[in-house]
């Protein structure tokens, strides 16, 4: 269910007219719906429960922090029982600052530094998803130096085509991620032989914005096959980590329902455990991001100028590629909805920002009825929106607001330009 809907001609988030948020906090501003975040998380958690698994017993949903790392979002999800998938020491510190449980944290990524490893070990995180042999050796060293054993899972690359945008597909042979499938057994042998590592799992992630679960289930089959071969070698796994979540609807995409995907997945896993392992259970980890926050957020912006050119009309707005990078970077499509609908057929507009780049566009060829000063919402902007924002053109990053029923709270102040150069200095 969408919590961003028109009532009459005004666009609302839950029970709050979005125009009231723009009036209180200015634009550009990201707005998230608490009800939507909660529902999207519970779609995973409840599907786990329906298969007899809950909150760390049999399954753990580790929300992918990179998709939206605001402390209020992390805190809400943590209180719902979520674990966290992180890719940096900074993300771990955010999870802790938000009151999240570090023992429910898994650490992904190809380039973990020694410092990040030390930080994560000092907080006793659940598991490191390791992506190469040199990383195994480094982690073994760091853990040994601290008198600890690091729990590890190897991220294997199942070479399955996720059929998504090439920039966000990660499980193919040519991607930088993971350990090639044919090298996996040898790499597990290395891991099992290192004294300061404890092999606990297997991990794969083939890409993001997958609409169909067939590639995910194909990857799962390969992972299961590998888990059996490891078992024969005496390497027992405690968990399988299936990677990120299902894609979302930006335009007219029809993603598989989370409950249906998880139901197929658990049916396969339960069947496998019954047939091969006498019913011995194994924990399942998920790392969804986009499907939890994507449709729970919008970016509000104000129309500054309308330019009617010879071949195109431009609506110049106060949000830009530095606020929402996805269109410039992936030619991503985001819906554009006026906060107040007009009774007018409108014109075709390219919605563009003030940044000095031709790539600074947010939407192209949209039929809109506009006047300067109008407010627009860029839809489905909750995931990889604010987290990918930059300060290009010395633009402070947008404010963030959380809506809860008929209330709204500022959860991040707009950045002040003076803050942006506060860390700089001029040599004498
Ligand atoms: N786990 C790993 C190891 C990942 O690399 C990712 C996303 C996720 C989980 C979360 O996947 P999700 O559930 O969100 O599909 N910036 C791009 C998306 C990059 C995704 C990177 N990895 C975008 O704006 O579309």
């Amino acid at each position: 269910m969408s919590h961003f809907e028109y009532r009459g001609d005004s666009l609302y988030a839950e029970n709050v007219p979005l125009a009231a948020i723009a009036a209180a906090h200015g634009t550009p501003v990201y707005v998230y719906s608490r009800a939507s975040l909660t529902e999207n998380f519970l779609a995973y958690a409840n599907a786990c429960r329906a298969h007899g698994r809950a909150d760390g017993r049999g399954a753990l949903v580790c929300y992918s922090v990179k998709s939206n790392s605001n402390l209020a979002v992390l805190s809400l999800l943590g209180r719902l029982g979520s674990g966290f998938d992180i890719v940096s020491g900074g993300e771990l510190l955010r999870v802790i600052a938000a009151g999240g449980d570090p023992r429910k944290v898994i650490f992904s990524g190809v380039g973990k530094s020694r410092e990040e490893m030390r930080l994560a070990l000092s907080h006793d995180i659940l598991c490191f998803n390791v992506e190469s042999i040199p990383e195994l050796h480094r982690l073994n060293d760091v853990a040994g130096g601290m008198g600890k054993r690091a729990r590890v899972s190897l991220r294997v690359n199942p070479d399955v085509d996720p059929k998504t945008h090439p920039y966000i597909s990660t499980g193919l042979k040519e991607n930088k991620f993971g350990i090639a499938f044919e090298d996996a057994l040898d790499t597990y042998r290395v891991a099992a032989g290192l004294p300061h590592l404890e092999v606990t799992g297997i991990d794969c992630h083939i890409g993001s914005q997958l609409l169909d679960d067939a590639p995910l289930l194909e990857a799962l089959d390969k992972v299961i096959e590998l888990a059996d071969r490891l078992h024969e070698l005496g390497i027992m796994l405690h968990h399988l980590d299936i990677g990120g979540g299902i894609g979302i609807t930006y335009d007219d995409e029809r993603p598989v329902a989370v409950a249906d995907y998880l139901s197929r997945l658990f049916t396969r896993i339960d069947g496998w455990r019954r047939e091969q392992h006498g019913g011995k259970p194994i924990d399942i980890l998920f790392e969804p991001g986009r499907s939890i926050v994507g449709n729970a957020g919008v970016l509000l912006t104000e129309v500054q100028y309308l330019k009617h050119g010879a071949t195109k009309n431009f609506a110049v707005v106060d949000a830009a590629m530095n606020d929402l990078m996805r269109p410039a970077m992936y030619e991503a499509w985001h819906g554009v909805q006026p906060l107040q609908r007009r009774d007018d057929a409108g014109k075709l507009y390219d919605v563009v920002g003030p940044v000095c780049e031709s790539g600074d566009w947010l939407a192209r060829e949209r039929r809109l009825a506009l006047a300067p000063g109008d407010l627009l919402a860029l839809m489905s902007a909750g995931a990889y929106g604010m987290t990918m924002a930059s300060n290009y053109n010395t633009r402070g990053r947008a404010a963030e607001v959380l809506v809860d029923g008929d209330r709204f709270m500022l959860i991040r102040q707009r950045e002040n330009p003076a803050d942006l150069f506060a860390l700089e200095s001029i040599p004498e």
Side-chain angles (χ1 to χ4, degrees):
M1 169 185 175
S2 173
H3 292 277
F4 296 92
E5 280 183 339
Y6 283 100
R7 295 194 187 168
D9 285 325
S10 306
L11 190 58
Y12 275 66
E14 302 188 23
N15 296 327
V16 176
L18 284 167
I21 297 176
H25 297 295
T27 51
V29 58
Y30 276 98
V31 180
Y32 310 120
S33 151
R34 178 182 171 143
S36 183
L37 291 165
T38 306
E39 274 170 29
N40 295 342
F41 175 79
L42 291 180
Y44 285 91
N46 290 341
C48 293
R49 232 165 253 141
H51 290 266
R53 299 165 160 92
D55 293 1
R57 278 169 296 139
L60 184 63
V61 182
C62 293
Y63 166 67
S64 181
V65 174
K66 68 167 89 71
S67 59
N68 185 322
S69 57
N70 185 288
L71 296 188
V73 172
L74 301 182
S75 156
L76 170 67
L77 297 174
R79 280 176 285 137
L80 291 170
S82 187
F84 298 95
D85 168 45
I86 60 161
V87 291
S88 70
E91 286 189 348
L92 176 56
L93 294 173
R94 275 186 178 275
V95 167
I96 293 166
D101 182 355
R103 285 160 170 265
K104 287 185 178 174
V105 166
I106 50 179
F107 195 164
S108 301
V110 290
K112 301 171 198 81
S113 70
R114 287 175 181 277
E115 265 162 45
E116 289 176 317
M117 288 174 173
R118 261 192 293 274
L119 178 70
L121 283 165
S122 72
H123 288 283
D124 203 21
I125 66 161
L126 180 60
C127 189
F128 290 83
N129 289 340
V130 173
E131 303 217 12
S132 65
I133 290 184
E135 187 189 338
L136 282 175
H137 286 294
R138 178 181 279 188
L139 184 58
N140 181 59
D141 254 24
V142 173
M146 296 172 73
K148 292 193 177 245
R149 273 184 99 194
R151 287 176 285 271
V152 299
S153 166
L154 296 190
R155 174 167 175 181
V156 299
N157 192 338
D159 198 28
V160 168
D161 186 353
K163 303 191 177 66
T164 182
H165 191 288
Y167 283 14
I168 49 178
S169 79
T170 52
L172 286 170
K173 274 197 175 129
E174 62 260 36
N175 295 128
K176 71 175 174 183
F177 300 100
I179 293 159
F181 211 73
E182 51 276 22
D183 300 334
L185 285 180
D186 285 344
T187 313
Y188 266 100
R189 278 201 196 92
V190 173
L194 292 170
H196 305 294
L197 301 185
E198 181 189 352
V199 174
T200 59
I202 186 166
D203 163 47
C204 81
H205 172 80
I206 59 173
S208 193
Q209 183 57 8
L210 274 70
L211 300 171
D212 180 9
D213 58 358
L216 289 164
L217 296 171
E218 191 185 329
L220 173 68
D221 285 342
K222 291 188 127 187
V223 164
I224 283 178
E225 207 182 288
L226 189 57
D228 281 337
R229 305 206 22 217
L230 290 168
H231 189 256
E232 287 159 23
L233 294 175
I235 301 176
M236 315 292 180
L237 303 179
H238 302 289
H239 76 254
L240 302 187
D241 177 343
I242 317 295
I246 289 296
I248 63 169
T249 303
Y250 286 98
D251 184 8
D252 53 5
E253 302 89 339
R254 307 189 113 242
V256 57
V258 167
D260 293 341
Y261 159 49
L262 263 59
S263 168
R264 282 190 273 271
L265 178 134
F266 284 129
T267 302
R268 251 181 170 85
I269 286 170
D270 290 345
W272 164 55
R273 296 308 284 180
R274 263 197 310 277
E275 283 159 31
Q276 310 284 325
H277 300 273
K280 196 166 178 289
I282 189 161
D283 291 349
I284 306 299
L285 270 51
F286 303 94
E287 307 169 353
R290 191 190 310 268
S291 46
I292 292 180
V293 288
N295 279 323
V298 298
L299 172 62
L300 305 186
T301 184
E302 188 190 83
V303 177
Q304 305 296 303
Y305 303 102
L306 297 179
K307 285 180 72 171
H308 300 282
T311 55
K312 271 192 176 262
N313 301 310
F314 294 100
V316 183
V317 299
D318 64 359
M321 66 188 287
N322 75 296
D323 299 301
L324 181 63
M325 182 102 89
R326 304 190 69 256
M329 194 154 168
Y330 317 113
E331 303 199 339
W333 192 99
H334 286 266
V336 181
Q337 307 276 14
L339 298 202
Q340 194 63 41
R341 280 195 292 217
R342 289 169 186 278
D343 189 15
D344 173 343
K347 291 191 176 67
L348 282 186
Y349 282 101
D350 279 11
V351 179
V352 301
V355 163
C356 301
E357 298 261 1
S358 302
D360 181 24
W361 58 275
L362 298 169
R364 284 179 168 156
E365 312 233 331
R366 305 299 172 82
R367 182 158 294 280
L368 294 163
L370 294 179
D374 280 7
L375 295 164
L376 301 175
L378 286 139
M379 308 303 291
S380 311
Y384 307 108
M386 185 64 174
T387 48
M388 289 175 70
S390 79
N391 294 121
Y392 190 35
N393 283 205
T394 307
R395 288 168 51 86
R397 280 178 293 172
E400 294 180 289
V401 165
L402 182 69
V403 172
D404 181 12
D406 42 23
R407 299 182 308 142
F408 60 93
M409 288 76 66
L410 185 65
I411 56 171
R412 190 177 206 272
Q413 293 177 29
R414 181 176 309 289
E415 278 174 353
N416 169 350
D419 295 340
L420 305 187
F421 47 82
L423 298 178
E424 299 170 25
S425 49
I426 302 171
E428 303 223 332

